[in-house]
């Protein structure tokens, strides 16, 4: 059996460190462990160069090296004969590897320490398996054909025009077609420089409304760079990551929604939603399995994410062109329950009966609807009217109103509050209030 680099995909995930052997001009050997080995194409690999001065010096004196790779799934080992080809200090491959390294480093609190200096690219002249002294039936991992599933997901997304249906169809299709059980969709809001969760699959609580700063963790890194970011083995960093999450929440528990996560996750992948050359959000998945996301999954999820980004952008455009018609007012609730709503203007956070709901523009949207209801009994609104309300201070460019309303509606539903939003058709939204409203605005 003739082995190709593509057969060794599992060896390039960093689950098991690789080993490189070099020799100086006098033939004295040196062995080092490598944090990252990247398959460049079917004939070349790239090795990260961070701390290994002796290895780098040897390669410049003697361009031949031997690389030991280990399959993270089954422990199979492979010996590669290499010849140094060239070094990279910039370019797409360098930037992608640097991004992956930064994301991994951030997981263990070493942001900026394990800085990639350059990539050394080698031509592979020979690949040979290393026979195990123990009998095994393990073989190279089979490849999945994701293309039919991708086609079905793209068709399902393309059939929808409203944000809530696009998000739900995307997540449910990922579950049924790819068997991934835990995923989030986050929308990027430029005015906050944050990504906010608008869709959730498999997490309890869902985490709708949780946010991630741009550039932070694998989600923030994917959004900031516009590139897919993946971590294939989190077993060494889980405890540290949990400590960071708990610490961050303790600083602002009253106005924070925890980002959902699996405490025993082994793999993560963050895929940017890109449309028109702009990052509009991130699709994020977790798994309990090491190396859960293959190269085929990366391609498949990237296609799905781009289709979703285009569909959401088109839905926003359609909402601008429709929704001017107002339907008949709904009947008022007969409930005498007092509903106490407090709005804090400094961050536009909203509390209902002492329970935190939302903040930012979504908070202003809710308060504006409640104020109009108190003033004249209004219970139904059009997107066009909302956009014309200068007091809301919606971004002039790409206001993402549809996803903001989706976020607000799902937060109210999840909290099971006596205030709910309901869709009345494209470009129209209704508010339902089960009780007597008391609104207080805190200007401090």
């Amino acid at each position: 059996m003739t082995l190709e680099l593509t057969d060794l995909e599992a060896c390039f995930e960093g689950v098991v460190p690789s080993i490189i052997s070099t020799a100086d001009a006098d033939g004295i050997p040196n062995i080092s462990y490598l944090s990252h080995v990247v398959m460049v194409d079917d004939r070349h690999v790239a090795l990260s160069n961070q701390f290994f001065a002796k290895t780098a010096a040897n390669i410049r004196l003697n361009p031949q090296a031997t690389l030991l790779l280990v399959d993270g799934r089954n422990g199979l080992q492979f010996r590669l004969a290499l010849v140094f080809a060239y070094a990279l200090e910039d370019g797409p491959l360098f930037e992608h590897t640097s991004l992956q390294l930064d994301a991994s480093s951030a997981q263990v609190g070493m942001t900026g320490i394990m800085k990639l200096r350059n990539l050394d690219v080698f031509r592979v002249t020979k690949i040979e398996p290393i026979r195990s002294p123990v009998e095994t039936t393990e073989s190279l991992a089979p490849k999945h054909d994701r293309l039919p599933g991708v086609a079905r997901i793209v068709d399902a997304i393309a059939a929808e025009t409203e944000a809530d249906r696009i998000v739900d169809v995307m997540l449910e299709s990922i579950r049924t077609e790819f068997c991934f059980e835990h995923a989030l969709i986050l929308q990027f809001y430029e005015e906050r420089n944050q990504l906010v969760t608008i869709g959730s699959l498999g997490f309890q609580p869902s985490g709708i409304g949780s946010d991630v700063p741009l550039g932070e963790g694998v989600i923030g890194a994917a959004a900031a760079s516009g590139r897919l970011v993946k971590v294939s083995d989190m077993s060494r960093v889980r405890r540290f990551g949990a400590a960071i999450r708990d610490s961050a929440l303790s600083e602002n528990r009253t106005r924070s929604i925890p980002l959902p996560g699996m405490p025993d996750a082994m793999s993560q992948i963050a895929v940017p939603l890109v449309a028109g050359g702009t990052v509009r959000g991130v699709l994020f998945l977790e798994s309990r399995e090491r190396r859960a996301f293959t190269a085929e999954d990366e391609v498949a999820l990237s296609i799905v994410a781009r289709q979703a980004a285009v569909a959401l952008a088109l839905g926003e455009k359609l909402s601008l062109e429709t929704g001017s018609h107002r339907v008949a007012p709904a009947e008022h609730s007969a409930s005498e329950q007092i509903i106490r709503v407090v709005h804090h203007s400094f961050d536009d956070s909203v509390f209902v009966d002492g329970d935190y709901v939302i903040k930012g523009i979504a908070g202003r949207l809710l308060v504006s609807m409640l104020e109009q209801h108190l003033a004249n009994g209004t219970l139904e609104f059009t997107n066009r009217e909302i956009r014309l309300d200068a007091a809301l201070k919606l971004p002039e460019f790409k206001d993402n109103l549809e996803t903001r309303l989706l976020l607000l509606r799902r937060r109210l539903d999840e909290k099971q509050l006596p205030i709910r939003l309901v869709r009345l058709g494209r470009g129209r939204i209704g508010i339902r209030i089960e009780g007597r409203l008391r609104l207080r605005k805190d200007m401090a």
Side-chain angles (χ1 to χ4, degrees):
M1 175 182 178
T2 301
L3 292 171
E4 304 289 343
L5 282 177
T6 52
D7 296 321
L8 311 185
E9 177 192 329
C11 299
F12 298 104
E13 299 292 340
V15 175
V16 180
S18 303
I19 300 174
I20 185 171
S21 175
T22 60
D24 62 17
D26 298 322
I28 299 175
N30 182 74
I31 294 176
S32 298
Y33 284 92
L34 294 167
S35 60
H36 282 68
V37 178
V38 182
M39 184 173 66
V40 179
D41 53 38
D42 58 359
R43 296 184 60 192
H44 293 84
V45 295
L47 314 182
S48 61
N49 184 347
Q50 293 130 275
F51 305 118
F52 307 120
K54 180 61 176 176
T55 297
N58 284 356
I59 288 169
R60 271 61 180 178
L61 294 171
N62 181 356
Q64 300 186 46
T66 300
L67 181 66
L68 179 68
L69 297 177
V70 181
D71 189 311
R73 288 184 183 271
N74 49 41
L76 295 178
Q77 299 182 16
F78 304 89
R79 183 185 296 115
L80 279 61
L82 310 178
V83 176
F84 178 72
Y86 55 90
L88 286 175
E89 295 182 354
D90 53 26
L93 178 62
F94 177 87
E95 292 171 3
H96 177 72
T97 306
S98 180
L99 179 65
Q100 294 290 142
L101 183 62
D102 289 344
S104 299
S105 301
Q107 297 284 352
V108 294
M110 297 180 66
T111 303
I113 296 176
M114 297 180 66
K115 194 70 176 176
L116 183 64
R117 294 188 299 181
N118 63 270
L119 283 175
D120 289 333
V121 180
F122 292 80
R123 178 168 54 89
V124 180
T125 60
K126 186 178 181 180
I127 304 174
E128 57 180 335
I130 300 175
R131 288 187 62 85
S132 172
V134 179
E135 286 294 327
T136 177
T137 58
E138 297 284 3
S139 59
L140 295 174
K143 290 182 170 56
H144 300 288
D145 183 6
R146 293 297 198 195
L147 190 57
V150 169
R152 287 189 288 268
I153 296 175
V154 167
D155 285 345
I157 293 173
E160 305 296 340
T161 58
E162 297 184 1
D164 56 346
R165 289 293 302 153
I166 293 168
V167 169
D168 290 343
V169 164
M170 179 185 183
L171 290 175
E172 181 60 23
S173 297
I174 286 173
R175 186 187 67 80
T176 56
E177 297 290 348
F178 297 162
C179 297
F180 296 137
E181 299 290 340
H182 295 84
L184 301 173
I185 297 179
L186 300 96
Q187 179 80 31
F188 178 54
Y189 295 130
E190 292 181 350
E191 79 282 353
R192 294 171 58 176
N193 212 32
Q194 290 179 329
L195 296 113
V196 180
T197 304
I198 61 171
S200 177
L201 171 69
F203 293 106
Q204 292 296 334
S206 70
I208 296 295
S210 57
D211 52 57
V212 177
L214 185 68
E216 183 173 297
V218 296
I219 295 173
S225 65
R227 296 174 179 269
L228 181 148
V229 179
K230 182 174 70 172
V231 179
S232 294
D233 184 4
M234 297 181 62
S235 59
R236 295 170 295 175
V237 303
R238 185 185 305 119
R239 183 178 302 173
F240 185 87
I244 292 177
R245 176 177 293 170
D246 290 344
S247 174
L249 287 178
S250 66
E251 295 177 3
N252 193 14
R253 288 185 182 274
T254 59
R255 288 179 172 84
S256 287
I257 301 169
L259 182 71
M262 302 168 63
D264 53 352
M266 288 291 184
S267 301
Q268 293 182 337
I269 188 169
V271 187
L273 275 65
V274 180
T278 301
V279 175
R280 297 175 178 269
V282 169
L283 169 64
F284 173 73
L285 292 89
E286 283 190 318
S287 173
R288 291 184 175 89
E289 297 181 14
R290 287 184 175 88
R291 198 189 162 274
F293 308 109
T294 66
E296 287 82 6
D297 294 329
E298 293 183 32
V299 175
L301 292 171
S302 294
I303 295 172
V304 169
R306 287 179 180 272
Q307 176 64 34
V310 171
L312 288 170
L314 178 60
E316 287 286 351
K317 182 178 180 181
L318 289 173
S319 77
L320 286 168
E321 301 170 353
T322 58
S324 59
H325 174 65
R326 180 184 294 281
V327 297
E331 293 184 3
H332 291 261
S333 168
S335 173
E336 293 298 315
Q337 174 188 356
I338 301 298
I339 307 171
R340 292 179 172 82
V341 179
V342 178
H343 172 231
H344 298 276
S345 60
F346 76 94
D347 63 353
D348 288 305
S349 58
V350 178
F351 291 74
V352 176
D353 293 332
D355 201 1
Y356 170 69
V357 180
I358 203 73
K359 63 185 175 183
I361 290 179
R364 291 205 296 272
L365 282 169
L366 177 59
V367 171
S368 174
M369 292 179 185
L370 295 178
E371 286 179 327
Q372 292 184 60
H373 168 69
L374 288 172
N376 51 39
T378 304
L379 288 170
E380 297 177 1
F381 309 84
T382 68
N383 286 14
R384 184 168 297 176
E385 290 171 332
I386 293 172
R387 286 189 166 99
L388 291 174
D389 186 352
L392 290 174
K393 301 176 183 178
L394 292 173
E396 294 183 8
F397 176 72
K398 200 176 67 174
D399 61 27
N400 292 311
L401 179 59
E402 283 289 306
T403 59
R404 296 181 200 275
L405 290 171
L406 169 62
L407 166 64
L408 179 56
R409 179 163 61 85
R410 291 190 169 179
R411 274 294 290 169
L412 293 169
D413 288 347
E414 186 172 63
K415 302 294 289 184
Q416 298 183 336
L417 296 173
I419 300 173
R420 301 289 179 93
L421 295 186
V422 293
R423 289 196 64 87
L424 303 174
R426 183 179 297 161
R428 298 199 304 273
I429 195 79
I431 190 166
R432 301 293 179 258
I433 303 171
E434 299 297 327
R436 298 169 62 85
L437 186 65
R438 298 289 186 270
L439 174 61
R440 178 168 64 86
K441 303 192 71 172
D442 184 353
M443 306 303 293

